[in-house]
């Protein structure tokens, strides 16, 4: 296990809300101890004492459920250096020390090329690792250039392109339920499954993230990475093992099998929209274009939907809908697998059985199977559901990711070719939207989003 971690961008929201609490969770669970040395670097003119006070306050706010001793140990262990993370001399001072170091780029993705170039000039000790947050590049060309820079710095196995969705137990359960239950895998194909909805709808609006979100929008923020990863887990062929090579090979196969979207497909199988003023619960939400930090001329979408088809033996004829929206009336975060209806009902009363739906509920975690059976009246059909709730996972998603980084296990990180394939899937959508082929619809905050569209 590597015992040195450097966080570039250590005063940002990612560090405050996720990385520091993840370290405290690892400490509380006994996965790391006093030997782990953490250096935080950012442009603020702080010293270590001030940073430790800042870290302690954020840990109390975002990790208050963890033991006080674990929070205090993390806050007391971190050191701080003021640095320009694009300057090789400053970066060299941050990563200096004995033994390999894991360098976490908790930074805006636009800075990645300059920071990686600085790391290359500064030099990293043998055995070091680098961690990048999504999105990996801003388009296919950007992802290819980023991969080229990374390949000059470290071997691929030492590069961790992390997507915290993959470290969520309920997300992994999509694959686990398929492969550990004989009743599911034989029917996990287009013969029995008509469509799959992969949805991340949330009531949250911008919540102060305009500086980042207005640069990317819903398509790049959610669908291009998180939801395509879920697609991979739903649609992949059973891997021989869950090791990094077998698992990631099968995910790349799924992305390569996505039928390229034509201009006609972009017009008729993709949607984009942004929210208008509205009310969500007890709070009034301004229109997206009026949120602080938003440039209305960018026409950034807060709702995106894409329908994909896979050209494979298993999935020919099944539709996959990927959807994500902000400032909606309710949270809906799930993978819903819709099975085809039964071919014949013997009841003779003109009734229809609803198609079965298996729902992997992502937040809160749960599993629901919608079935049809005999209701209160003889021979009358009625819907019912079987529901299971999961125990909370031992470690938060970022805790699992950091542990994998420190242990050198890249199975749940995104390989370079996979990152490029994910961009290749959505390149036609980005191009079509840039040309205005798809109108930017609008929906009131607190609603269900733009009116449903039924694609032929």
């Amino acid at each position: 296990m590597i015992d040195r971690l450097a966080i570039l961008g250590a005063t940002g929201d990612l560090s405050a809300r996720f990385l520091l609490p993840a370290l405290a969770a690892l400490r509380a669970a006994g996965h790391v101890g006093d030997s782990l040395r953490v250096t935080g670097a950012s442009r603020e003119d702080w010293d270590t004492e001030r940073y430790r006070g800042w870290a302690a306050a954020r840990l109390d706010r975002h990790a208050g459920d963890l033991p006080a001793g674990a929070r205090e140990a993390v806050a007391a262990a971190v050191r701080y250096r003021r640095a320009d993370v694009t300057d090789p001399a400053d970066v060299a001072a941050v990563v200096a020390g004995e033994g390999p170091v894991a360098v976490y780029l908790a930074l805006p993705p636009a800075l990645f090329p300059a920071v990686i170039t600085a790391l290359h000039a500064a030099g990293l000790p043998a055995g070091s690792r680098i961690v990048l947050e999504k999105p990996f590049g801003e388009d296919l060309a950007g992802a290819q250039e980023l991969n080229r820079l990374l390949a000059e710095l470290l071997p691929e196995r030492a590069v961790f392109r992390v997507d915290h969705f993959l470290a969520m137990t309920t997300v992994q359960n999509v694959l686990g339920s398929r492969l550990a239950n004989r009743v599911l895998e034989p029917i996990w194909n287009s013969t029995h499954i008509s469509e799959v909805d992969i949805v991340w709808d949330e009531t949250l609006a911008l919540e102060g993230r305009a500086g980042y979100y207005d640069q990317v929008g819903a398509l790049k923020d959610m669908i291009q990475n998180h939801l395509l990863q879920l697609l991979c887990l739903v649609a992949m062929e059973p891997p021989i093992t869950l090791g990094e090579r077998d698992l990631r090979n099968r995910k790349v196969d799924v992305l390569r099998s996505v039928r390229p979207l034509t201009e006609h497909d972009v017009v008729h199988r993709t949607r984009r929209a942004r929210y208008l003023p509205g009310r969500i619960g007890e709070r009034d939400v301004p229109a997206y274009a009026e949120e602080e930090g938003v440039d209305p001329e960018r026409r950034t979408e807060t709702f995106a939907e894409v329908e994909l088809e896979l050209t494979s033996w298993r999935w020919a004829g099944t539709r996959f809908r990927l959807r994500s929206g902000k400032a909606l009336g309710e949270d809906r975060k799930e993978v819903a697998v819709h099975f085809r209806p039964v071919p014949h009902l013997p009841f003779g009363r003109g009734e229809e059985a609803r198609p079965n739906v298996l729902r992997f509920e992502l937040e809160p975690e749960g599993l629901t199977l919608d079935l049809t059976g005999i209701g209160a009246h003889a021979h009358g059909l009625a819907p019912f559901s079987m529901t299971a709730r999961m125990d909370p996972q031992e470690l938060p998603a970022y805790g699992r990711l950091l542990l994998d980084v420190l242990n050198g296990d890249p199975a749940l990180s995104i390989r370079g070719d996979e990152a490029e394939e994910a961009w290749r899937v959505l390149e036609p959508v980005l191009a079509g939207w840039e040309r205005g082929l798809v109108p930017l619809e609008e929906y009131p905050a607190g609603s269900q989003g733009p009116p449903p569209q039924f694609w032929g």
Side-chain angles (χ1 to χ4, degrees):
M1 174 184 280
I2 283 182
D3 61 4
R4 290 204 300 136
L5 174 66
I7 302 175
L8 308 186
T11 59
D13 187 63
L14 175 61
S15 297
R17 295 177 57 205
F18 298 110
L19 298 185
L20 291 172
L23 289 170
L26 292 176
R27 178 81 184 210
H31 293 294
V32 299
D34 293 336
S35 62
L36 181 65
R37 293 161 290 166
V38 181
T39 301
S42 195
R43 59 188 176 186
E44 279 76 15
D45 189 13
W46 295 357
D47 58 16
T48 292
E49 182 178 359
R50 180 171 179 180
Y51 183 72
R52 286 175 175 173
W54 179 90
R58 270 57 188 178
L59 284 165
D60 289 344
R61 179 186 303 175
H62 300 297
D65 57 328
L66 294 174
R71 303 198 307 271
E72 293 166 0
V74 169
V78 295
R79 298 180 302 164
Y80 181 81
R81 291 191 68 99
R82 181 187 180 189
D84 174 356
V85 295
T86 65
D87 180 79
D90 282 6
V91 170
V94 173
V95 301
E98 295 184 5
V101 59
V103 183
Y104 203 115
L105 274 58
L107 300 163
L111 289 177
F112 287 174
V115 175
I116 293 167
T117 300
L119 283 167
H120 187 272
L124 288 175
S128 293
R129 296 156 198 162
I130 188 168
V131 191
L132 301 87
E133 285 275 335
K134 62 87 182 174
F136 313 113
E138 298 181 359
D139 50 25
L140 176 57
Q144 292 170 333
E145 175 62 14
L146 190 62
N147 283 340
R148 184 190 67 78
L149 291 171
L150 288 166
E152 294 176 354
L153 178 63
L154 290 170
E156 175 63 30
R157 203 175 189 281
V159 178
F160 288 73
R161 302 171 189 82
V162 297
D163 185 333
H164 75 276
F165 265 47
L166 290 176
M168 296 166 62
T169 300
T170 185
V171 168
Q172 295 177 22
N173 198 44
V174 172
L175 188 59
S177 295
R178 282 182 53 190
L179 303 183
N181 296 283
R182 194 177 187 89
V183 69
L184 287 181
E185 184 56 29
I187 61 171
W188 206 260
N189 52 60
S190 61
T191 302
H192 301 282
I193 295 173
S194 60
E195 55 193 45
V196 178
D197 290 324
I198 302 175
V199 179
W200 192 270
D201 287 350
E202 53 188 350
T203 56
L204 287 176
L206 277 189
E207 313 301 325
R209 297 179 67 226
Y212 164 75
Y213 194 87
D214 201 42
Q215 303 288 328
V216 292
L219 186 72
K220 290 184 179 181
D221 185 51
M222 290 298 303
I223 293 181
Q224 191 276 333
N225 37 77
H226 296 324
L227 301 196
L228 281 181
Q229 287 297 311
L230 286 168
L231 169 67
C232 289
L233 296 185
V234 171
M236 69 193 299
E237 292 297 321
I240 298 172
T241 72
L242 293 183
E244 56 96 9
R245 180 178 178 181
D246 293 331
L247 180 62
R248 299 198 290 185
N249 282 351
R250 300 291 76 78
K251 287 163 63 185
V252 170
D253 288 345
V254 173
L255 295 173
R256 291 180 60 202
S257 76
V258 175
R259 182 174 65 82
L261 293 169
T262 65
E263 187 173 289
H264 180 274
D265 293 329
V266 172
V267 172
H268 295 283
R269 297 185 183 274
T270 76
R271 303 182 74 189
R272 57 177 180 155
R274 65 181 179 184
Y275 60 82
L276 295 170
R279 189 170 180 82
I280 304 175
E282 299 300 317
R283 60 192 173 99
D284 292 318
V285 177
Y288 175 80
E290 298 171 359
E291 293 267 23
E292 184 178 354
V294 167
D295 178 1
E297 297 304 314
R298 288 186 184 278
R299 296 175 58 80
T300 301
E301 80 284 351
T302 61
F303 173 99
E305 187 172 32
V306 177
E307 183 179 283
L308 301 174
E309 295 180 356
L310 307 187
T311 55
S312 68
W313 186 287
R314 182 185 288 263
W315 293 116
T318 297
R319 292 183 175 180
F320 295 84
R321 294 191 188 92
L322 283 59
R323 159 182 162 148
S324 181
K326 281 190 170 296
L328 296 171
E330 61 181 2
D331 290 319
R332 181 190 171 203
K333 302 170 181 178
E334 67 175 13
V335 175
V337 181
H338 299 259
F339 292 87
R340 299 187 187 278
V342 296
H344 172 69
L345 288 172
F347 301 98
R349 297 180 57 179
E351 298 189 50
E352 292 185 4
R354 297 180 181 179
N356 304 136
V357 181
L358 178 60
R359 302 180 188 277
F360 297 90
E361 297 152 11
L362 306 176
E363 200 176 77
E365 299 179 1
L367 185 67
T368 299
L369 177 60
D370 296 335
L371 299 169
T372 298
I374 298 297
H377 304 287
H379 305 297
L381 297 178
F384 67 95
S385 297
M386 300 172 62
T387 301
R389 295 294 170 191
M390 283 70 165
D391 293 332
Q393 60 190 85
E394 176 193 8
L395 290 173
Y398 274 93
R400 172 68 188 275
L401 289 179
L402 280 179
L403 188 60
D404 284 350
V405 169
L406 297 175
N407 283 327
D409 182 0
L412 294 182
S413 69
I414 312 302
R415 202 168 61 195
D417 57 342
E418 183 182 350
E420 293 180 17
E421 290 294 342
W423 280 114
R424 189 171 285 112
V425 168
L426 293 181
E427 278 279 289
V429 182
L430 293 169
W433 288 8
E434 180 69 23
R435 292 169 53 199
L437 297 181
V438 178
L440 181 65
E441 302 177 58
E442 295 178 320
Y443 60 95
S447 70
Q448 297 305 304
Q453 177 172 308
F454 299 96
W455 290 320

